[in-house]
Amino acid sequence: MDVLQPCRRLGKLTWLELKIFAREPMGLIGTVAIPVLLFMVLGRTLGVRLGDATSRTAAMFSVGLPVLAAVFIAISAVLSLVAIISIYRESGILKRLRATPLGPVTILVTHVLVKLILTAVTVTAMLLAGRRYYPAGDDVPMVAFMFALLLSTWSILSIGFIIASLVRTARFAPPLGSLVLYGMLPFCGLFVAIESLPSEMQVVSRFLPLRYSVSLLSGIWQGDPWSAHLGDVAALVAVFAVCTMVASRVFRWE
Amino acid sequence: MTSPPVVRVSGIRKTYGRTVAVEDVSFEVQRGEIFGLIGPNGAGKTTTMECVEGLRHPDHGRIEVFGLDPVVDIGALQSRIGVQLQEAQLQKRIKVWEAVDLWASLYANTLDADRLLDQLGLTDKRHAWFMTLSGGQKQRLFIALALINDPELVFLDELTTGLDPQARRAIWDLVRDIRERGKTVFLTTHLMEEAERLCDRVAIIEHGRIIDLDTPARLVARHCPERAVVVATAHDDAASRFLAIPSVETVDIVEDDGRLTIRGRGDDLVTEVIHCLSEHRMRVTEFATEQPTLEDVFLKLTGHSIRD
């Protein structure tokens, strides 16, 4: 058998799914346009006011805001995956695709790729748009920041697969997904530093991928080298490995 | 038939939790025939078919498709079979040509996609989104996807459910075309008329078991040998004349307008009634024969109608 065949199939299905996604206006606006617009509006308003300030508040905003926006991009990508997988399963699309030579891995990897590509597009648009309005935009390592976000999204997507597997109907999957994913926000160190959280919350935060995403994203944004965040990277890979293992056990095609 | 069967199912059993979906089901599908698995919803038709397609593992029993195990050898089988699943959908905004193109890219040998769409009457819909197609058009697209790899064996699960009678008849013609091209068709339906018109042989399944299997005509002859002739005549002693015919069992006067239903057994009933009419020079204003159908066979075998 042709060795490249699985790659070609993956490429074809990914391109097709991207086109199909782009045909749904609401999905495109929700995943790409709104985060970018939000960042631009906030960046412009705060950027002007905080432009010359050197206070802690200013620093918090100059790092916190882009990281928050990035985290929202990652979460909305995962929520979109949860919705799509549950709709595809409920309407028999997954089952129909599975009864072809496509193979289950190709079908699922396609959806991960689609979400990562959309995340990359969104964050690129956000950074380009932000550059004009945002004071911290000039010397930010954009490529590294994007990779940090893709790694975070990839890791959290595996949680999305577990949610999409456990919830039976397409109607309840997105709300539960929101609950779980947005529920992680208070523990991620973005609004309140992890050290000042109550000790129980600190323990919980250790098991949530968002804490490591936030740490990695803010570090990279401020110019840290990757070597300073190997622990975060390892934690995100571990979350992916564990969740993918669980998801492969509980995933249902119909 | 000398060639080996295309499908051989021996004693399969499949349970979901405590529910027994299929119990001790055995049958063979011969090359070039349209074989139908018929029965009410929930009888085990789809479970049986999905086991044969390799989508489910039976708990017990053995299945061979072209001599191969459908679960173990699914890779080798996929190029030789075409599948249409019950109530399956595609992505709402996938275009017809994109679906056919994707499917075509998955197989080494494929039919010409444009010609296939043309034969199925979908050329005008090439660029239409799946969600904008009518029920009949969707099913024709699923037939196209099942045929794109020029398979030897085609599975059609409840193909015409939910379609209006006109669309249904058009689909029946398409299924007959598949057989004309030398393919074997394995279908399920809960529509007795569909089975009767389309299938060369049918297996009647109920509560997960096959209760009989034969050609529709032989099933009818075996289980419902009764025939009926309805005659409208003003002749005074028509009823007693008909009762004198040896194969006639009962004569009922249906309405006051002189319409009689003559019931009896055997293939000669109609001939004998016609003979009686001409012998006694009865003036007839209406004449109709009533043939029992698979629906009657099902009722007789199970004690209830298939729609109950």
Side-chain angles (χ1 to χ4, degrees):
Chain A
M1 200 178 93
D2 191 348
V3 221
L4 287 175
Q5 200 184 44
C7 298
R8 270 204 302 271
R9 286 176 179 175
L10 187 65
K12 190 163 189 112
L13 191 60
T14 305
W15 174 236
L16 187 59
E17 288 288 350
L18 275 171
K19 283 199 287 184
I20 292 170
F21 183 82
R23 286 171 192 159
E24 194 148 20
M26 282 319 288
L28 205 58
I29 291 170
T31 347
V32 183
I34 288 182
V36 175
L37 279 175
L38 208 67
F39 181 74
M40 277 171 67
V41 170
L42 282 176
R44 196 172 188 181
T45 325
L46 296 169
V48 171
R49 264 185 230 162
L50 301 169
D52 303 316
T54 49
S55 66
R56 270 190 63 202
T57 332
M60 206 186 99
F61 272 109
S62 67
V63 179
L65 186 61
V67 172
L68 180 66
V71 165
F72 271 112
I73 292 173
I75 290 181
S76 72
V78 177
L79 286 178
S80 165
L81 175 97
V82 171
I84 285 178
I85 293 289
S86 51
I87 290 169
Y88 275 30
R89 182 176 48 223
E90 197 163 276
S91 52
I93 300 171
L94 282 183
K95 190 178 169 189
R96 184 66 197 86
L97 289 174
R98 206 188 169 198
T100 67
L102 267 173
V105 176
T106 311
I107 297 166
L108 298 182
V109 171
T110 293
H111 287 284
V112 173
L113 277 181
V114 167
K115 291 305 152 207
L116 290 181
I117 290 169
L118 285 170
T119 303
V121 168
T122 312
V123 77
T124 309
M126 180 187 102
L127 292 175
L128 289 177
R131 232 179 177 166
R132 288 190 56 184
Y133 303 110
Y134 212 68
D138 285 339
D139 49 353
V140 168
M142 285 185 28
V143 175
F145 187 72
M146 190 166 88
F147 275 111
L149 181 58
L150 289 181
L151 178 69
S152 303
T153 311
W154 176 71
S155 177
I156 307 172
L157 279 172
S158 60
I159 301 181
F161 272 110
I162 299 183
I163 297 170
S165 307
L166 294 180
V167 184
R168 285 173 185 277
T169 61
R171 192 187 293 187
F172 291 112
L176 185 84
S178 308
L179 198 69
V180 172
L181 294 169
Y182 289 121
M184 288 197 269
L185 280 178
F187 301 92
C188 71
L190 196 56
F191 303 109
V192 184
I194 305 263
E195 303 78 58
S196 38
L197 286 172
S199 58
E200 300 84 23
M201 282 178 83
Q202 286 192 34
V203 173
V204 174
S205 83
R206 206 165 292 168
F207 295 98
L208 301 177
L210 219 49
R211 167 188 172 157
Y212 306 103
S213 299
V214 167
S215 159
L216 178 67
L217 287 166
S218 19
I220 296 288
W221 183 265
Q222 287 167 297
D224 288 358
W226 282 86
S227 55
H229 291 277
L230 289 180
D232 294 331
V233 172
L236 288 172
V237 172
V239 166
F240 175 81
V242 171
C243 291
T244 303
M245 211 174 68
V246 174
S248 67
R249 294 269 165 90
V250 295
F251 193 78
R252 286 176 301 122
W253 292 87
E254 52 183 302
Chain B
M1 272 177 242
T2 47
S3 64
V6 171
V7 174
R8 181 179 278 151
V9 174
S10 334
I12 62 161
R13 176 189 163 91
K14 177 75 186 170
T15 53
Y16 299 115
R18 299 174 111 185
T19 314
V20 180
V22 172
E23 177 81 278
D24 195 23
V25 162
S26 302
F27 59 90
E28 289 179 352
V29 180
Q30 305 296 337
R31 191 173 293 276
E33 72 172 342
I34 300 180
F35 180 87
L37 205 50
I38 65 175
N41 294 327
K45 302 187 296 291
T46 297
T47 297
T48 303
M49 181 174 264
E50 290 183 351
C51 285
V52 178
E53 290 164 346
L55 294 174
R56 294 181 194 285
H57 303 237
D59 305 330
H60 292 288
R62 216 179 132 71
I63 301 176
E64 281 176 32
V65 181
F66 300 117
L68 300 169
D69 181 318
V71 175
V72 178
D73 304 312
I74 185 73
L77 272 179
Q78 264 168 341
S79 61
R80 301 176 72 183
I81 64 172
V83 173
Q84 174 263 328
L85 299 174
Q86 185 182 358
E87 289 175 358
Q89 298 280 323
L90 291 178
Q91 293 90 328
K92 278 186 186 174
R93 289 174 171 79
I94 195 170
K95 291 178 182 173
V96 168
W97 76 265
E98 289 171 336
V100 177
D101 182 53
L102 174 68
W103 255 251
S105 73
L106 302 176
Y107 300 95
N109 297 313
T110 54
L111 297 174
D112 181 71
D114 290 335
R115 243 180 76 192
L116 186 59
L117 286 179
D118 189 43
Q119 282 165 354
L120 293 169
L122 287 171
T123 303
D124 297 346
K125 293 284 166 188
R126 271 180 61 87
H127 296 284
W129 288 351
F130 179 78
M131 64 189 279
T132 65
L133 301 179
S134 70
Q137 288 163 344
K138 283 179 183 168
Q139 290 301 49
R140 276 183 276 151
L141 174 58
F142 281 121
I143 295 180
L145 299 181
L147 295 180
I148 189 75
N149 57 329
D150 199 19
E152 296 163 61
L153 168 63
V154 183
F155 294 92
L156 305 171
D157 194 359
E158 293 281 356
L159 186 61
T160 64
T161 300
L163 300 187
D164 60 63
Q166 200 186 347
R168 186 169 287 157
R169 271 158 216 277
I171 299 271
W172 290 347
D173 287 338
L174 293 173
V175 177
R176 289 192 196 101
D177 284 347
I178 299 174
R179 179 182 53 191
E180 298 314 310
R181 282 190 247 166
K183 318 282 182 204
T184 307
V185 178
F186 179 5
L187 62 82
T188 72
T189 181
H190 69 279
L191 301 167
M192 292 293 151
E193 190 195 355
E194 181 165 290
E196 198 147 17
R197 290 185 177 230
L198 218 48
C199 295
D200 298 309
R201 290 192 309 136
V202 297
I204 301 177
I205 186 166
E206 160 137 295
H207 300 311
R209 289 173 181 275
I210 289 183
I211 46 182
D212 206 352
L213 187 161
D214 214 326
T215 65
R218 279 206 286 258
L219 284 172
V220 170
R222 178 148 74 236
H223 297 288
C224 300
E226 308 82 14
R227 298 281 181 280
V229 180
V230 179
V231 173
T233 176
H235 201 275
D236 287 337
D237 47 357
S240 58
R241 301 277 189 211
F242 291 133
L243 272 173
I245 300 171
S247 59
V248 170
E249 289 171 344
T250 60
V251 176
D252 299 322
I253 298 174
V254 187
E255 283 167 38
D256 297 339
D257 59 3
R259 202 178 285 168
L260 305 164
T261 301
I262 306 148
R263 292 180 210 278
R265 282 166 188 271
D267 296 335
D268 292 335
L269 177 75
V270 180
T271 317
E272 286 172 355
V273 169
I274 292 172
H275 190 73
C276 175
L277 291 172
S278 79
E279 192 184 349
H280 298 285
R281 299 184 172 279
M282 290 187 220
R283 191 173 165 274
V284 173
T285 52
E286 242 181 79
F287 185 94
T289 59
E290 282 178 6
Q291 297 284 343
T293 62
L294 274 182
E295 190 98 45
D296 300 304
V297 172
F298 188 85
L299 185 67
K300 182 92 169 250
L301 285 175
T302 66
H304 62 86
S305 159
I306 194 155
R307 281 181 254 280
D308 285 350

